[in-house]
Amino acid sequence: LVADTQIPLDMEGDITVPARKLLDICKNLPESAEVKFSFAKDRATLSSGRSRFVLATLPSSEFPALENLNFDVRFSVPRTRFRELTERTSFAMAQQDVRYYLNGLLLECRDNKLRAVATDGHRLALADAAGSDSLPNGKQVIIPRKGVLELQRLLGDSQDSAYVAFSGNHIRVEWEGLRYTSKLIDGRFPDYERVMPADGDKILIADRLALRQSLTRTSILSNEKYRGVRFVISDGLLKIQTQNPDKEEAEDELEVDYQGDPMEVAFNVNYVLDVLNVVSSEKVRVLLKDPNSSCIIRDDGNEESQYVIMPMRL
């Protein structure tokens, strides 16, 4: 990177440029290309070979000041564990919901665990990660959707620790010389524990991949708007059925571990597939009560992650 400026190189200075445009320009230049910068008035000029780009700039004084924030909560967590925690839950965040506090991910410290929760009002995802004695019990923050997705991208697969800090309205995560800061959503997350079904006495255990493949096949003929599928459950057998307004139908059968009264219940197939795409165990456990009650899906034998899905009427 060669700096070709109109001020002496031993002088300090700063300016702001459009980050996304600058990134896209650099990504589309040849890998070994040399880039030259020059700055004059309110314009930045980039040149590389026969390419030339002129970008608008803004005074650095207008850049948000994030250096003097007062962080009152600090703890560390392995980067890969933090990323897995968000990936197991973030798919359930709402998108542009008028209940703005649902358009993000709840991060909660409790009982020496770090917990992530997301819900859009029709489903809920919850995951725990082991923490340390330094975690402040009861502390909650809501990270906005865009901030969560960017954090997932940056964290990577390293086992090194990320250092997390909360202030009244910001979260900061630091590792290996990188500092990530995001505003928080100012709102009160709903009492998610109240919607966790506690009395599901019918247990269905299925092979995760087989169930996912069966749902994917059946969903081809589901209603494109409502995406409903019906589970017809009996001893050792799960039938997955669907139909659409064109009177097309699909049915698939799957052997499962289930012993109990026969029952039928319907779900949005996308909600179930989203869960099956993030859990990692060979088998999943589905806890059911009746056709009008929400179900819980878990990794078989793993209590760290739980997923609640409301039923549909077909």
Side-chain angles (χ1 to χ4, degrees), residues 97-131:
D97 197 296
V98 294
R99 298 163 294 181
Y100 59 92
Y101 46 81
L102 299 184
N103 300 319
L105 182 79
L106 174 71
L107 207 59
E108 180 181 29
C109 304
R110 57 182 297 166
D111 303 326
N112 296 329
K113 292 181 180 179
L114 186 61
R115 171 171 290 182
V117 185
T119 180
D120 60 8
H122 302 284
R123 54 179 172 173
L124 181 145
L126 179 154
D128 289 328

Short mmCIF file of all heavy atoms in Angstrom, two decimals, residues 97-131:
data_model
loop_
_atom_site.label_atom_id
_atom_site.label_comp_id
_atom_site.label_asym_id
_atom_site.label_seq_id
_atom_site.Cartn_x
_atom_site.Cartn_y
_atom_site.Cartn_z
N ASP A 97 -39.60 -6.42 12.78
CA ASP A 97 -40.82 -6.52 13.57
C ASP A 97 -41.05 -5.20 14.29
O ASP A 97 -40.10 -4.54 14.73
CB ASP A 97 -40.68 -7.66 14.59
CG ASP A 97 -42.01 -8.10 15.17
OD1 ASP A 97 -42.66 -7.29 15.84
OD2 ASP A 97 -42.40 -9.27 14.95
N VAL A 98 -42.32 -4.79 14.41
CA VAL A 98 -42.62 -3.55 15.12
C VAL A 98 -42.22 -3.66 16.59
O VAL A 98 -41.96 -2.65 17.25
CB VAL A 98 -44.10 -3.18 15.00
CG1 VAL A 98 -44.44 -2.84 13.56
CG2 VAL A 98 -45.00 -4.31 15.50
N ARG A 99 -42.17 -4.90 17.10
CA ARG A 99 -41.64 -5.12 18.45
C ARG A 99 -40.12 -5.15 18.32
O ARG A 99 -39.52 -6.20 18.21
CB ARG A 99 -42.19 -6.42 19.03
CG ARG A 99 -43.71 -6.44 19.18
CD ARG A 99 -44.23 -7.86 19.36
NE ARG A 99 -44.03 -8.67 18.17
CZ ARG A 99 -44.42 -9.95 18.07
NH1 ARG A 99 -45.02 -10.54 19.08
NH2 ARG A 99 -44.19 -10.63 16.96
N TYR A 100 -39.52 -3.98 18.31
CA TYR A 100 -38.12 -3.81 17.92
C TYR A 100 -37.17 -4.66 18.75
O TYR A 100 -36.10 -5.05 18.30
CB TYR A 100 -37.72 -2.34 18.03
CG TYR A 100 -37.90 -1.75 19.42
CD1 TYR A 100 -36.86 -1.76 20.34
CD2 TYR A 100 -39.12 -1.21 19.82
CE1 TYR A 100 -37.02 -1.25 21.61
CE2 TYR A 100 -39.29 -0.70 21.10
CZ TYR A 100 -38.24 -0.72 21.98
OH TYR A 100 -38.39 -0.23 23.25
N TYR A 101 -37.56 -4.98 20.01
CA TYR A 101 -36.69 -5.78 20.86
C TYR A 101 -36.57 -7.23 20.39
O TYR A 101 -35.71 -7.97 20.87
CB TYR A 101 -37.20 -5.74 22.31
CG TYR A 101 -38.70 -5.95 22.44
CD1 TYR A 101 -39.24 -7.22 22.42
CD2 TYR A 101 -39.55 -4.86 22.56
CE1 TYR A 101 -40.62 -7.41 22.52
CE2 TYR A 101 -40.92 -5.04 22.67
CZ TYR A 101 -41.45 -6.31 22.64
OH TYR A 101 -42.80 -6.50 22.73
N LEU A 102 -37.42 -7.66 19.45
CA LEU A 102 -37.30 -9.00 18.88
C LEU A 102 -36.34 -9.04 17.70
O LEU A 102 -35.95 -10.13 17.26
CB LEU A 102 -38.67 -9.54 18.45
CG LEU A 102 -39.74 -9.69 19.52
CD1 LEU A 102 -40.99 -10.32 18.93
CD2 LEU A 102 -39.23 -10.52 20.70
N ASN A 103 -35.96 -7.87 17.18
CA ASN A 103 -35.06 -7.81 16.02
C ASN A 103 -33.61 -7.91 16.44
O ASN A 103 -32.74 -7.17 15.95
CB ASN A 103 -35.30 -6.51 15.24
CG ASN A 103 -36.71 -6.38 14.73
OD1 ASN A 103 -37.29 -7.35 14.25
ND2 ASN A 103 -37.28 -5.20 14.83
N GLY A 104 -33.33 -8.80 17.35
CA GLY A 104 -31.97 -8.96 17.85
C GLY A 104 -31.86 -10.22 18.68
O GLY A 104 -32.80 -11.03 18.78
N LEU A 105 -30.70 -10.38 19.29
CA LEU A 105 -30.37 -11.57 20.07
C LEU A 105 -30.15 -11.19 21.52
O LEU A 105 -29.36 -10.28 21.81
CB LEU A 105 -29.09 -12.21 19.50
CG LEU A 105 -28.62 -13.51 20.18
CD1 LEU A 105 -29.44 -14.69 19.67
CD2 LEU A 105 -27.14 -13.75 19.88
N LEU A 106 -30.86 -11.86 22.42
CA LEU A 106 -30.64 -11.64 23.85
C LEU A 106 -29.40 -12.40 24.29
O LEU A 106 -29.27 -13.59 24.04
CB LEU A 106 -31.85 -12.13 24.65
CG LEU A 106 -31.69 -12.09 26.18
CD1 LEU A 106 -31.71 -10.65 26.68
CD2 LEU A 106 -32.76 -12.92 26.88
N LEU A 107 -28.48 -11.70 24.93
CA LEU A 107 -27.31 -12.32 25.55
C LEU A 107 -27.45 -12.14 27.05
O LEU A 107 -27.58 -11.01 27.53
CB LEU A 107 -26.03 -11.67 25.03
CG LEU A 107 -24.75 -12.51 25.03
CD1 LEU A 107 -24.95 -13.76 24.17
CD2 LEU A 107 -23.59 -11.70 24.51
N GLU A 108 -27.45 -13.24 27.78
CA GLU A 108 -27.74 -13.20 29.21
C GLU A 108 -26.69 -13.97 30.00
O GLU A 108 -26.27 -15.05 29.59
CB GLU A 108 -29.12 -13.81 29.47
CG GLU A 108 -29.54 -13.82 30.93
CD GLU A 108 -30.90 -14.46 31.13
OE1 GLU A 108 -31.28 -15.34 30.33
OE2 GLU A 108 -31.59 -14.08 32.09
N CYS A 109 -26.26 -13.41 31.11
CA CYS A 109 -25.34 -14.08 32.03
C CYS A 109 -26.16 -14.60 33.21
O CYS A 109 -26.82 -13.80 33.89
CB CYS A 109 -24.26 -13.13 32.52
SG CYS A 109 -23.30 -12.34 31.21
N ARG A 110 -26.10 -15.90 33.48
CA ARG A 110 -26.85 -16.45 34.60
C ARG A 110 -26.26 -17.78 35.01
O ARG A 110 -25.87 -18.60 34.16
CB ARG A 110 -28.34 -16.62 34.25
CG ARG A 110 -28.61 -17.50 33.04
CD ARG A 110 -30.10 -17.57 32.75
NE ARG A 110 -30.83 -18.20 33.83
CZ ARG A 110 -32.15 -18.14 33.95
NH1 ARG A 110 -32.86 -17.46 33.07
NH2 ARG A 110 -32.75 -18.75 34.94
N ASP A 111 -26.17 -18.00 36.31
CA ASP A 111 -25.69 -19.28 36.86
C ASP A 111 -24.37 -19.71 36.24
O ASP A 111 -24.18 -20.87 35.90
CB ASP A 111 -26.75 -20.37 36.65
CG ASP A 111 -28.10 -20.02 37.26
OD1 ASP A 111 -28.09 -19.35 38.32
OD2 ASP A 111 -29.13 -20.38 36.69
N ASN A 112 -23.44 -18.75 36.09
CA ASN A 112 -22.11 -19.00 35.51
C ASN A 112 -22.18 -19.56 34.09
O ASN A 112 -21.29 -20.27 33.65
CB ASN A 112 -21.32 -19.97 36.40
CG ASN A 112 -21.03 -19.38 37.76
OD1 ASN A 112 -20.87 -18.16 37.90
ND2 ASN A 112 -20.98 -20.22 38.79
N LYS A 113 -23.26 -19.21 33.38
CA LYS A 113 -23.40 -19.61 31.98
C LYS A 113 -23.69 -18.36 31.15
O LYS A 113 -24.25 -17.38 31.62
CB LYS A 113 -24.55 -20.61 31.81
CG LYS A 113 -24.31 -21.97 32.41
CD LYS A 113 -25.50 -22.88 32.14
CE LYS A 113 -25.28 -24.27 32.74
NZ LYS A 113 -26.44 -25.16 32.50
N LEU A 114 -23.27 -18.43 29.88
CA LEU A 114 -23.62 -17.41 28.91
C LEU A 114 -24.74 -17.97 28.05
O LEU A 114 -24.58 -19.04 27.44
CB LEU A 114 -22.41 -17.04 28.06
CG LEU A 114 -22.59 -15.88 27.09
CD1 LEU A 114 -22.92 -14.59 27.84
CD2 LEU A 114 -21.33 -15.69 26.25
N ARG A 115 -25.86 -17.29 28.01
CA ARG A 115 -27.05 -17.80 27.30
C ARG A 115 -27.44 -16.85 26.18
O ARG A 115 -27.41 -15.63 26.33
CB ARG A 115 -28.22 -17.96 28.26
CG ARG A 115 -29.57 -18.27 27.60
CD ARG A 115 -30.63 -18.62 28.62
NE ARG A 115 -30.35 -19.92 29.22
CZ ARG A 115 -31.15 -20.50 30.13
NH1 ARG A 115 -32.23 -19.88 30.55
NH2 ARG A 115 -30.84 -21.69 30.61
N ALA A 116 -27.80 -17.43 25.03
CA ALA A 116 -28.32 -16.66 23.90
C ALA A 116 -29.75 -17.10 23.63
O ALA A 116 -30.05 -18.30 23.64
CB ALA A 116 -27.45 -16.88 22.66
N VAL A 117 -30.63 -16.14 23.39
CA VAL A 117 -32.04 -16.42 23.13
C VAL A 117 -32.51 -15.53 21.98
O VAL A 117 -32.19 -14.34 21.94
CB VAL A 117 -32.93 -16.17 24.37
CG1 VAL A 117 -34.38 -16.59 24.09
CG2 VAL A 117 -32.39 -16.88 25.59
N ALA A 118 -33.28 -16.12 21.06
CA ALA A 118 -33.87 -15.35 19.97
C ALA A 118 -35.27 -15.87 19.70
O ALA A 118 -35.53 -17.07 19.81
CB ALA A 118 -33.03 -15.45 18.70
N THR A 119 -36.18 -14.96 19.36
CA THR A 119 -37.55 -15.36 19.04
C THR A 119 -38.18 -14.33 18.11
O THR A 119 -37.86 -13.14 18.17
CB THR A 119 -38.42 -15.50 20.31
OG1 THR A 119 -39.74 -15.89 19.94
CG2 THR A 119 -38.47 -14.20 21.09
N ASP A 120 -39.05 -14.81 17.23
CA ASP A 120 -39.84 -13.91 16.38
C ASP A 120 -41.32 -13.97 16.74
O ASP A 120 -42.15 -13.45 16.00
CB ASP A 120 -39.63 -14.24 14.90
CG ASP A 120 -40.04 -15.67 14.54
OD1 ASP A 120 -40.64 -16.36 15.41
OD2 ASP A 120 -39.78 -16.10 13.40
N GLY A 121 -41.64 -14.58 17.87
CA GLY A 121 -43.01 -14.69 18.30
C GLY A 121 -43.69 -15.98 17.89
O GLY A 121 -44.74 -16.33 18.45
N HIS A 122 -43.12 -16.71 16.92
CA HIS A 122 -43.67 -17.99 16.49
C HIS A 122 -42.76 -19.17 16.85
O HIS A 122 -43.20 -20.31 16.88
CB HIS A 122 -43.89 -17.99 14.97
CG HIS A 122 -44.80 -16.89 14.50
ND1 HIS A 122 -46.16 -16.95 14.66
CD2 HIS A 122 -44.53 -15.71 13.89
CE1 HIS A 122 -46.71 -15.86 14.15
NE2 HIS A 122 -45.74 -15.08 13.68
N ARG A 123 -41.52 -18.86 17.11
CA ARG A 123 -40.54 -19.88 17.48
C ARG A 123 -39.52 -19.23 18.39
O ARG A 123 -39.39 -17.99 18.43
CB ARG A 123 -39.85 -20.45 16.24
CG ARG A 123 -39.23 -19.35 15.38
CD ARG A 123 -38.55 -19.90 14.18
NE ARG A 123 -38.13 -18.84 13.28
CZ ARG A 123 -37.38 -19.03 12.21
NH1 ARG A 123 -36.94 -20.25 11.92
NH2 ARG A 123 -37.05 -18.04 11.41
N LEU A 124 -38.77 -20.06 19.09
CA LEU A 124 -37.77 -19.56 20.03
C LEU A 124 -36.58 -20.49 20.03
O LEU A 124 -36.73 -21.71 20.00
CB LEU A 124 -38.36 -19.44 21.43
CG LEU A 124 -37.45 -18.90 22.55
CD1 LEU A 124 -38.28 -18.08 23.54
CD2 LEU A 124 -36.75 -20.04 23.31
N ALA A 125 -35.37 -19.91 20.02
CA ALA A 125 -34.13 -20.68 20.09
C ALA A 125 -33.35 -20.25 21.32
O ALA A 125 -33.20 -19.05 21.57
CB ALA A 125 -33.30 -20.48 18.83
N LEU A 126 -32.85 -21.22 22.07
CA LEU A 126 -32.10 -20.95 23.31
C LEU A 126 -30.89 -21.86 23.34
O LEU A 126 -30.98 -23.05 23.05
CB LEU A 126 -32.99 -21.20 24.52
CG LEU A 126 -32.41 -21.01 25.92
CD1 LEU A 126 -33.54 -20.65 26.91
CD2 LEU A 126 -31.70 -22.25 26.43
N ALA A 127 -29.74 -21.29 23.68
CA ALA A 127 -28.51 -22.08 23.80
C ALA A 127 -27.67 -21.53 24.94
O ALA A 127 -27.61 -20.32 25.16
CB ALA A 127 -27.72 -22.05 22.49
N ASP A 128 -27.01 -22.45 25.66
CA ASP A 128 -26.14 -22.10 26.78
C ASP A 128 -24.70 -22.46 26.46
O ASP A 128 -24.43 -23.42 25.73
CB ASP A 128 -26.55 -22.84 28.05
CG ASP A 128 -27.86 -22.32 28.63
OD1 ASP A 128 -28.13 -21.12 28.49
OD2 ASP A 128 -28.61 -23.12 29.22
N ALA A 129 -23.78 -21.70 27.03
CA ALA A 129 -22.35 -22.02 26.96
C ALA A 129 -21.77 -21.87 28.35
O ALA A 129 -22.11 -20.94 29.08
CB ALA A 129 -21.63 -21.09 25.98
N ALA A 130 -20.92 -22.81 28.73
CA ALA A 130 -20.29 -22.75 30.05
C ALA A 130 -19.47 -21.48 30.16
O ALA A 130 -18.74 -21.09 29.24
CB ALA A 130 -19.41 -23.97 30.26
N GLY A 131 -19.60 -20.81 31.31
CA GLY A 131 -18.86 -19.57 31.54
C GLY A 131 -17.88 -19.72 32.68
O GLY A 131 -17.30 -20.78 32.89
#
